[in-house]
């Protein structure tokens, strides 16, 4: 597409801004005028806690914990019943009624315990299924309202991990942890209470293994955090060495450095092995002693030895030792089992924290008053923006007139992509505003915004769906004829009909596209969407020469008659655009037509010599206006 005539900038007057309901720089100072304030300067939201993440499950967890507590207490009664049956069994004659009473009590208590335990597990597992569905739905809805720029900083694997893996890992926390903790607390306490009623002295003696085990476990975990941090750092260095060795193997072998690279890998792995050995060596001794002291067998032996002493000295009757021998293991057993589940529980807690962090991601703020754009002119006014504390854009004022092409040029890191991505709200400005048709984009309904602004970037994303469905994302209600017409306009129709099932071929399963082909599919998507405002960023970066030519032709047809903002790297392709904006370190240094900038802008001349590759008088004869969108 060749652009004829000079740029026709949008008129910008205070009267026009008031008429359109749009704040300008003078109006910002007037009282009573509300400008949509961005979230960028506001303090970040606190991370949602694990308890907050699990809040939807709390009613079910409370019910389950009560049931589990009843089950824990009821599970002790059969042992107590057996102990109590000892006296009628040893009496002369045998007290049959007493024995059967103990048996009935034990059976009933056992059935109650099993029923409550099953009910508790059923409650938590059914609640967990509903919780996973609700939390995934909540996360998906939340992600639908976060800035698009959030996704550019994360790959699909990271998002999948949060939505799928982390939620699944929370199963232990949601379905097991609470009731297991209740059992580990209630069972020892109830046991001690029952044993104290029999003989408080032997009950205290029975507690000794628990006290010793807790002290040993505390010593074992005293520097666990520091050791785990060192472990993760060392493991990270090993992973880095592996990646470095594998990805750079061709280079290091070419220059005869394979041995040196292998030595670095060996050094890191040996360092990791030494660290792990030293850590585990210290832990194993304490861990084994702790496990032994808290084991049920040790508790029984310990209580048996104490009971013999107590009976021999006449402090208790032999029959009174039975409850201690039968219930003693109930004190340490749950605690020991909880220790084995600690690692899995830590993983689940970490997953819950990740989910809470994702749900704490600030969303795009919606203005209370929605606006309807009048026209498709684009304005940037006093725009400042930064990633965190580092400002990358300063006082950007820019007008894009309908039906014109504006190209952004500048050195790497000058802010070109950031300016382009503020228009479709990948982020919001920290100061100032971006408007379309006189309406701040933050006051536009997101659906209206994306029906107004289309964008074609180098990082094309095609869904695992049919080719027709991928193109139809631009307008789901489009007919097959309209989809084919869009594919023809994007110069990709011929490639599609060669696929096994044509437009019904599933991308990624039945066929795959090259970078240039995928780019043309995305252009077909934009052709079908027919948005009046278009952002083109590095659209031909990975295309081969033949694909690049076809992409340029498709972009030229796509850009016709629209408000177009392109990022230009090959300056020889944008000499005929309406407006070229020269950026440097986040500032607009100059703007104008190609000939004007060649004469007066040192930065533009340097860029022209670096990227143009042809004399100005040769290139100025005519070029594709969208070719610089690379």
């Amino acid at each position: 597409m060749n652009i004829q005539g000079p740029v026709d900038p949008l008129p910008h007057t205070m009267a026009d801004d008031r008429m359109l309901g749009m704040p300008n720089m003078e109006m910002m100072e007037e009282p009573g005028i509300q400008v949509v304030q961005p979230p960028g300067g506001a303090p970040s939201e606190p991370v949602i806690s694990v308890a907050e993440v699990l809040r939807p499950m709390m009613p079910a967890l409370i019910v389950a914990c009560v049931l589990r507590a009843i089950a824990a207490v009821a599970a002790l009664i059969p042992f107590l019943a057996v102990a109590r049956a000892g006296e009628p069994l040893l009496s002369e004659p045998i007290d049959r009624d007493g024995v059967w009473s103990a048996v009935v009590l034990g059976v009933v208590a056992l059935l109650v315990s099993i029923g409550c335990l099953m009910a508790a597990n059923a409650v938590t597992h059914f609640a967990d299924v509903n919780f996973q569905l609700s939390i995934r739905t909540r996360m998906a809805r939340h992600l639908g309202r976060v800035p698009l720029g959030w996704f550019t900083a994360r790959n699909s694997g990271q998002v999948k991990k949060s939505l799928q893996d982390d939620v699944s890992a929370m199963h232990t926390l949601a379905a097991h942890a609470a009731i297991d903790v209740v059992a580990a607390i209630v069972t020892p306490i109830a046991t001690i209470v029952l044993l104290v009623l029999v003989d408080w002295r032997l009950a205290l003696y029975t507690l000794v293994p628990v006290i010793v085990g807790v002290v040993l476990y505390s010593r074992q975990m005293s520097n666990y955090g520091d050791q785990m941090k060192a472990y993760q750092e060392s493991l990270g260095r090993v992973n880095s060495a592996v990646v470095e060795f594998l990805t750079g193997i061709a280079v290091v072998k070419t220059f005869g450095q394979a041995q040196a690279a292998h030595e670095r890998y060996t050094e890191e792995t040996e360092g990791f092995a030494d660290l792990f050995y030293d850590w585990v060596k210290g832990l194993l001794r304490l861990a084994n002693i702790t496990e032994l002291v808290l084991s049920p067998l040790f508790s029984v032996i310990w209580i048996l030895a104490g009971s013999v002493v107590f009976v021999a000295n006449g402090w208790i009757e032999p029959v009174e030792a039975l409850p201690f021998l039968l219930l003693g293991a109930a004190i340490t057993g749950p605690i020991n089992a909880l220790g084995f589940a600690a690692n899995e529980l830590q993983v689940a807690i970490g997953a819950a924290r990740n989910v809470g962090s994702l749900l704490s991601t600030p969303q795009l703020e919606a203005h209370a008053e929605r606006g309807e754009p009048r026209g498709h002119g684009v304005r940037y006014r006093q725009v400042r923006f930064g990633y965190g504390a580092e400002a990358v854009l300063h006082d950007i004022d820019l007008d894009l007139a309908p039906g014109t092409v504006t190209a952004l040029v500048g050195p790497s890191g000058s802010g070109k992509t950031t300016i382009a991505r503020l228009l479709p709200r990948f982020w919001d400005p920290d100061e100032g505003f971006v408007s379309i048709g006189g309406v701040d984009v933050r006051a536009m309904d997101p659906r209206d915004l994306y029906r107004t602004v289309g964008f074609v970037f180098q990082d094309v994303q095609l869904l695992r769906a049919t080719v027709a469905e991928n193109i139809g994302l631009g307008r789901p209600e489009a007919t097959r004829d309209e989809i084919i017409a869009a594919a023809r306009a994007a110069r990709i129709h011929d490639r599609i009909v060669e696929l096994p099932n044509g437009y019904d071929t599933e991308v990624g399963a039945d066929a795959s596209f090259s970078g240039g082909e995928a780019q043309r599919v995305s252009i077909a998507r934009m052709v079908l969407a027919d948005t009046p405002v278009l952002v083109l960023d590095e659209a031909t970066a990975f295309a081969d020469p033949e694909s690049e030519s076809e992409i340029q032709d498709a972009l030229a047809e796509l850009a016709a008659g629209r408000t177009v903002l392109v990022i230009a790297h090959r300056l020889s392709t944008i000499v005929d655009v309406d407006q070229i904006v020269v950026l440097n370190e986040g500032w607009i240094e100059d703007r104008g037509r190609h000939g004007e900038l060649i004469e007066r802008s040192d930065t533009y001349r340097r860029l022209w010599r670096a990227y143009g590759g042809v004399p100005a008088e040769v290139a100025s004869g005519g070029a594709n206006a969208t070719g610089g969108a690379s």
Side-chain angles (χ1 to χ4, degrees):
M1 178 183 68
N2 292 324
I3 300 298
Q4 303 296 328
V7 64
D8 180 20
L10 292 171
H12 177 242
T13 66
M14 185 174 174
D16 291 335
D17 286 334
R18 284 203 179 103
M19 178 183 69
L20 296 176
M22 160 83 174
N24 71 357
M25 299 322 300
E26 295 88 350
M27 291 174 67
M28 287 185 183
E29 305 298 328
E30 294 182 4
I33 299 297
Q34 297 296 319
V35 178
V36 182
Q37 293 299 325
S44 59
E45 300 179 20
V47 175
I48 295 176
S49 66
V50 173
E52 181 66 24
V53 171
L54 292 174
R55 184 181 296 276
M57 277 200 67
M58 285 304 177
L61 287 178
I62 292 173
V63 172
C65 286
V66 171
L67 289 170
R68 187 66 182 89
I70 295 173
V73 174
L76 299 176
I77 295 177
F79 295 99
L80 191 61
V82 171
R84 288 303 181 188
E87 185 173 348
L89 279 172
L90 296 175
S91 64
E92 288 292 341
I94 295 176
D95 183 0
R96 297 182 183 275
D97 291 339
V99 172
W100 280 111
S101 297
V103 170
V104 170
L105 176 64
V107 170
V108 171
L110 180 62
L111 292 176
V112 170
S113 175
I114 293 174
C116 289
L117 179 60
M118 292 176 63
N121 278 291
V123 168
T124 57
H125 279 78
F126 279 117
D128 177 53
V129 171
N130 292 328
F131 168 73
Q132 290 198 28
L133 174 61
S134 66
I135 199 69
R136 286 194 175 102
T137 302
R138 180 182 173 189
M139 292 166 72
R141 288 175 178 168
H142 187 89
L143 290 177
R145 294 190 292 268
V146 303
L148 292 176
W150 184 87
F151 294 94
T152 65
R154 294 160 179 83
N155 58 42
S156 58
Q158 292 172 303
V159 178
K160 180 261 183 187
K161 180 181 181 298
S162 295
L163 279 168
Q164 180 64 36
D165 300 346
D166 285 337
V167 174
S168 297
M170 288 169 61
H171 170 77
T172 297
L173 191 60
H176 297 283
I179 57 177
D180 288 348
V181 169
V182 166
I185 294 174
V186 171
T187 300
I189 291 176
T191 302
I192 290 299
V193 170
L194 292 174
L195 295 181
V196 165
L197 295 176
V198 177
D199 188 275
W200 66 270
R201 297 164 298 177
L202 189 54
L204 290 179
Y205 172 84
T206 303
L207 278 177
V208 171
V210 177
I211 298 171
V212 174
V214 170
V215 171
L216 290 174
Y217 187 75
S218 299
R219 288 187 57 189
Q220 179 183 330
M221 302 300 292
S222 60
N223 64 340
Y224 183 84
D226 294 337
Q227 291 286 0
M228 179 56 73
K229 181 180 179 181
Y231 170 86
Q232 295 289 357
E233 289 175 351
S234 181
L235 186 59
R237 289 193 296 271
V238 172
N239 290 335
S240 298
V242 172
V243 172
E244 177 186 344
F245 181 72
L246 294 178
T247 57
I249 188 64
V251 175
V252 297
K253 290 189 73 173
T254 299
F255 292 95
Q257 297 298 314
Q259 181 62 33
H262 187 268
E263 287 175 356
R264 285 195 296 273
Y265 166 69
T266 303
E267 180 181 344
E268 293 297 344
T269 53
E270 289 179 348
F272 172 77
D274 291 340
L275 172 72
F276 186 73
Y277 176 75
D278 291 340
W279 181 25
V280 171
K281 182 177 64 174
L283 283 178
L284 280 178
R285 187 181 301 107
L286 276 176
N288 289 332
I289 296 174
T290 303
E291 184 178 341
L292 174 63
V293 170
L294 292 177
S295 67
L297 180 60
F298 180 84
S299 295
V300 171
I301 295 173
W302 175 263
I303 294 170
L304 180 60
S307 299
V308 170
V309 173
F310 272 64
V311 171
N313 286 279
W315 298 336
I316 61 173
E317 295 297 325
V319 73
E320 292 178 323
L322 282 176
F324 293 91
L325 293 171
L326 293 171
L327 294 176
I331 300 176
T332 58
I335 299 175
N336 208 20
L338 196 62
F340 282 116
N343 185 58
E344 191 174 354
L345 183 61
Q346 287 297 322
V347 171
I349 292 173
R353 289 191 181 122
N354 292 340
V355 171
S357 177
L358 185 146
L359 291 173
S360 303
T361 304
Q363 300 179 353
L364 285 173
E365 292 195 357
H367 194 228
E369 298 181 6
R370 294 295 187 185
E372 186 104 12
R374 300 181 182 180
H376 304 117
V378 175
R379 285 177 178 157
Y380 291 73
R381 284 293 177 269
Q382 291 255 308
V383 170
R384 294 173 179 265
F385 178 77
Y387 301 100
E390 182 182 358
V392 295
L393 295 179
H394 312 274
D395 296 328
I396 300 298
D397 285 323
L398 184 59
D399 292 321
L400 313 179
T404 65
V405 177
T406 297
L408 303 178
V409 303
S412 177
S414 59
K416 303 183 294 296
T417 296
T418 302
I419 289 178
R421 297 196 176 195
L422 288 177
L423 182 53
R425 288 196 78 185
F426 272 59
W427 306 279
D428 282 333
D430 296 330
E431 297 179 20
F433 60 85
V434 180
S435 69
I436 299 174
V439 176
D440 192 318
V441 294
R442 290 167 293 190
M444 294 178 65
D445 186 283
R447 290 170 295 184
D448 293 335
L449 176 62
Y450 297 121
R451 280 194 290 261
T452 303
V453 181
F455 38 90
V456 179
F457 298 143
Q458 68 171 18
D459 47 344
V460 179
Q461 297 294 327
L462 298 182
L463 303 181
R464 193 177 181 86
T466 67
V467 178
E469 288 169 337
N470 270 279
I471 297 175
L473 285 174
R475 189 153 53 89
E477 70 279 7
T479 65
R480 178 58 63 94
D481 289 341
E482 289 172 324
I483 290 174
I484 292 175
R488 289 185 184 276
R491 310 297 194 272
I492 192 62
H493 171 75
D494 293 341
R495 172 71 178 103
I496 294 174
V497 296
E498 293 174 355
L499 297 174
N501 298 310
Y503 282 85
D504 294 320
T505 301
E506 184 175 341
V507 176
D510 302 325
S512 59
F513 290 105
S514 67
E517 291 168 347
Q519 193 64 264
R520 278 178 277 157
V521 172
S522 73
I523 293 171
R525 185 186 294 166
M526 287 298 103
V527 170
L528 190 65
D530 195 26
T531 59
V533 180
L534 192 61
V535 179
L536 307 176
D537 182 358
E538 303 189 24
T540 61
F542 301 128
D544 55 70
E546 181 179 354
S547 293
E548 180 178 3
S549 175
E550 292 180 327
I551 291 173
Q552 300 296 2
D553 291 340
L555 289 175
E557 186 164 334
L558 175 61
R562 307 175 195 275
T563 305
V564 181
L565 179 64
V566 303
I567 293 179
H569 290 288
R570 287 184 276 278
L571 271 61
S572 60
T573 63
I574 58 153
V575 294
D576 285 336
V577 301
D578 302 277
Q579 179 179 213
I580 300 172
V581 178
V582 182
L583 295 165
N584 200 357
E585 296 183 352
W587 299 86
I588 293 181
E589 187 176 280
D590 206 341
R591 71 187 82 199
R593 299 291 293 252
H594 169 75
E596 300 168 350
L597 295 174
I598 280 289
E599 291 188 9
R600 70 170 183 249
S601 172
D602 292 337
T603 299
Y604 187 77
R605 279 196 298 270
R606 286 196 301 271
L607 292 170
W608 178 256
R609 286 194 296 268
Y611 299 110
V614 294
E617 60 273 13
V618 175
S620 61
N624 190 318
T626 59
S630 59

